[in-house]
């Protein structure tokens, strides 16, 4: 990775050149001679995972969240860290449930619950986001309203404390659905959002993860992303879903995964389900996982958990094992947790206010 | 729009501040006080268009293209301009057809055909792209291989002569699917792409369109995008699809439409069809139009043109009339042109090498 980092740093200033030279008369001005080395990372053909997914169907659910699926083993979590996660998951579920109970609507509930996880350093969203290969935090988020199919999403934002709230504002107040980087932050300024500096997102834990990745002490891990998401059903029968993430540790600058992509990381339709995904974003984009779950329910009349299992299986067909998971809530209050990894941070609240949180596959 | 532009220019330098201040110790540093005015553009609830779509089904087709759907009237095109478009469409179709005939594969054919339209100032892709509200050209493109479901896409690139070729390189040589802005251009430099300065993309026609939009002499037009796309069927039975665009005249900085989104602007699956869309990107994202066409064929066993009509109807349900169109080619060489606008620049080549190009709905 070092040569790649070095060349990033070496070339970066040169990228500014054409902007300065916009008014130059030349037709085509080469900026760089071809790079002498390629950083291509060919995809590995992956065998189909024959194992069953971890799949749970719970009824009478009005709100649910996830905090990422991945290689989560008991031996990797200290009792203290495990307890911290369970408290944070419980807080997020309670926050969303209360919003539903107060009749604030499912999109508000999804935003409020995700805000608590964005503000917690435990999750890879907002505070505590992972670092790109250029040691920055680039955040993605999306939210969707199942009644209107309105959606809002932002990608590559670097100064937004709560990206899901910016996505929600875009959904409610703009004709546009997806804004990237500086443009998203210009919109945020127009809308009165306070922007934060990059150091706000810093955590020692994620910084060390970047160091480990660059020192080859961890594989380029698609497994444990700590992406966060939420799904809710409002008293009016409206479904909503949202997802927020910092992406992958050591990801290339500008890499976009499934989280900000409507139909890949997030989808909601009152006729089918509200779904948030977490895992290997590239596979989830190529299989349009969250829209596929909606389509399988709509066109094949599959039950929500069967649709979710089928969609996760498709990511295994192109990506092998441990691709990730989804949470999906249908309009009849049936919640599906489906993941093919060793664990998924997750929780839900029933109509009666019972709150359950889980981390490991065998819970 | 003027106040908006002014505030863009006024605030832009401030955006750099946090980057400079990354190492500052402060936890949360407000960069801007809330904007005094909102630039929110509420979505208009739109009536369902009861008119039939323009729909054509052609058999024995191995390659097809579009150059955008929209308000295209004979009285708006001079005979000279109409002839120029027909020649450019014919050239693009022939280029793709020859690549198929030479056995180069459908993804190569799609890339080659789109390259000719990116290089033509007539289309809103590459040379001749429209301008953002900040008077820049921000380009999007995506390509997908129907055999492997591999995909590559770039968004917001500003110095790439042929964005579809960068998307194709990403598909073939990276584990990632979607790269944005500077990150996509860093990747391009690593891969040896020549970068061009913004003036390469300049055309007086598009510059005047931006001036007209800012002077209120044209509505913020989702109708005629001149986005380009192509679909092909290789001799090995492999389907591929690709799309390339400059987006919308006067679009906000960082706005991403459907063109670079797998499942919205572009999708290909050998089991169903290869599809490229053009139109109101936000609606196509919210309905995941190209993946929906694939799902309708797969799960409902709909014929390609019926699936395409159903998917376009869904964009009308949320967006009203004149939302755009799609081209879709199935593995049995059935091509569907479906659009609800007054015209779509389009063309195809049959297995036997017959080439047909059309512009208006009544051709």
């Amino acid at each position: 990775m070092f040569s790649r980092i070095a060349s990033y740093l070496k070339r970066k200033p040169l990228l500014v050149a054409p902007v300065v030279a916009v008014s130059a008369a030349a037709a085509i001005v080469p900026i760089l001679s071809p790079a002498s080395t390629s950083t291509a990372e060919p995809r590995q053909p992956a065998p189909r995972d024959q194992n069953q997914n971890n799949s749970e169907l719970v009824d009478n659910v009005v709100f649910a969240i996830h905090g990422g699926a991945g290689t989560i083993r008991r031996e990797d979590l200290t009792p203290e860290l495990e307890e911290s996660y369970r408290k944070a998951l419980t807080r997020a579920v309670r926050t969303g449930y209360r919003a539903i109970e107060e009749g604030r609507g499912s999109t508000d509930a999804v935003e409020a619950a995700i805000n608590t996880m964005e503000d917690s350093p435990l999750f890879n969203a907002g505070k505590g986001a992972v670092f790109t290969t250029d040691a920055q935090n680039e955040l993605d988020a999306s939210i969707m309203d199942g009644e209107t199919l309105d959606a809002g999403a932002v990608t590559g934002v670097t100064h937004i404390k709560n990206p899901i709230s910016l996505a929600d504002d875009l959904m409610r107040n703009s004709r546009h659905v997806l804004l990237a980087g500086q443009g998203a932050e210009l919109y945020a300024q127009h809308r009165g959002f306070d922007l934060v500096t990059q150091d706000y997102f810093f955590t020692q834990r994620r910084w060390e993860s970047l160091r480990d990745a660059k020192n080859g002490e961890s594989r380029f891990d698609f497994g444990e992303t700590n992406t966060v998401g939420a799904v809710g059903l409002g008293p009016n029968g409206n479904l909503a879903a949202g997802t927020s993430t910092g992406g992958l540790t050591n990801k290339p600058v500008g890499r976009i995964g499934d989280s900000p992509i409507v139909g890949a990381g997030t989808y909601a339709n009152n006729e089918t389900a509200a779904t948030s995904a977490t895992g290997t974003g590239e596979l989830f984009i190529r299989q349009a996982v969250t829209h596929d779950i909606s389509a399988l329910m709509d066109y094949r009349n599959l039950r929500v958990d069967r649709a979710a299992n089928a969609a996760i299986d498709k990511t295994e067909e192109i990506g092998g094992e441990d691709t990730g998971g989804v949470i999906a809530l249908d309009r009849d209050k049936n919640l599906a947790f489906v993941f093919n990894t060793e664990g998924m941070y997750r929780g839900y609240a029933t109509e009666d206010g019972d709150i359950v949180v889980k981390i490991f596959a065998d819970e």
Side-chain angles (χ1 to χ4, degrees), chain A residues 3-341:
Chain A
S3 63
R4 182 179 206 170
I5 310 313
S7 52
Y8 271 155
L9 300 179
K10 188 175 81 261
R11 291 198 170 83
K12 211 167 177 185
L14 297 177
L15 255 192
V16 181
V19 179
V20 177
V22 163
S23 60
I28 301 181
V29 181
I31 292 170
L32 284 178
S33 54
S36 55
T37 60
S38 162
T39 62
E41 301 161 332
R43 289 198 184 91
Q44 302 300 326
R48 171 68 195 279
D49 174 10
Q50 294 305 324
N51 301 333
Q52 288 297 310
N53 300 321
N54 299 300
S55 179
E56 184 177 8
L57 183 66
V58 189
D59 61 12
N60 203 32
V61 171
V62 294
F63 194 79
I65 63 157
H66 70 79
T71 310
I72 308 165
R73 303 188 189 88
R74 283 188 171 78
E75 57 267 33
D76 298 336
L77 284 180
T78 65
E80 296 70 24
L81 188 57
E82 179 180 334
E83 185 53 29
S84 299
Y85 270 111
R86 292 189 190 274
K87 280 182 179 167
L89 293 169
T90 301
R91 179 170 176 232
V93 174
R94 182 177 296 115
T95 300
Y97 175 76
R98 284 182 178 164
I100 296 286
E101 282 305 288
E102 293 164 4
R104 285 170 50 200
S106 50
T107 54
D108 279 4
V110 163
E111 179 193 5
I114 289 177
N115 282 164
T116 70
M117 293 187 281
E118 287 176 330
D119 293 345
S120 164
L122 292 172
F123 302 102
N124 175 20
K127 177 76 174 178
V130 299
F131 290 91
T132 70
T133 195
D134 200 28
Q136 301 289 297
N137 306 104
E138 296 184 359
L139 310 177
D140 303 326
S142 62
I143 190 166
M144 188 164 186
D145 178 333
E147 179 189 22
T148 60
L149 301 188
D150 272 343
V154 294
T155 181
V157 294
T158 53
H159 307 106
I160 305 298
K161 179 172 174 285
N162 294 106
I164 195 69
S165 296
L166 183 56
D168 183 72
D169 188 286
L170 189 69
M171 174 175 71
R172 297 176 189 277
N173 300 301
S174 167
R175 73 176 73 197
H176 300 295
V177 166
L178 178 54
L179 290 180
Q182 182 193 43
E185 299 190 345
L186 287 166
Y187 175 82
Q189 292 168 47
H190 282 292
R191 297 290 301 157
F193 280 72
D194 288 335
L195 273 63
V196 298
T197 51
Q198 281 267 302
D199 48 295
Y200 164 73
F201 302 108
F202 182 91
T203 54
Q204 194 63 36
R205 173 191 180 193
R206 302 300 188 186
W207 186 256
E208 283 163 10
S209 295
L210 178 63
R211 292 290 179 83
D212 291 346
K214 292 195 174 189
N215 293 332
E217 291 158 17
S218 70
R219 63 189 182 93
F220 187 77
D221 194 348
F222 281 123
E224 181 168 5
T225 68
N226 272 165
T227 290
V228 305
V231 294
L233 177 65
N236 47 8
N238 283 355
L239 288 166
T243 309
S244 183
T245 190
L248 304 168
T249 295
N250 204 27
K251 69 182 179 182
V253 174
R255 176 264 184 183
I256 303 176
D258 63 314
S259 300
I261 306 301
V262 169
T266 300
Y267 207 72
N269 184 330
N270 283 4
E271 301 306 307
T272 55
T275 305
S276 173
T278 173
T280 307
E282 282 73 4
L283 304 175
F284 284 60
I285 289 173
R286 289 161 59 196
Q287 293 286 18
V289 166
T290 55
H291 181 265
D292 199 39
I293 290 169
S294 181
L296 284 162
M297 294 177 70
D298 188 2
Y299 305 147
R300 281 256 175 100
N301 202 30
L302 289 194
R303 204 174 65 187
V304 61
D305 59 315
R306 295 190 175 134
N309 272 280
I312 291 297
D313 288 346
K314 285 190 185 179
T315 65
E316 295 178 349
E317 289 171 6
I318 59 172
E321 303 181 356
D322 299 330
T323 58
V326 297
I327 60 174
L329 179 65
D330 73 16
R331 57 182 175 181
D332 299 320
K333 306 190 181 71
N334 300 304
L335 170 72
F337 287 122
V338 176
F339 54 101
N340 57 17
T341 51

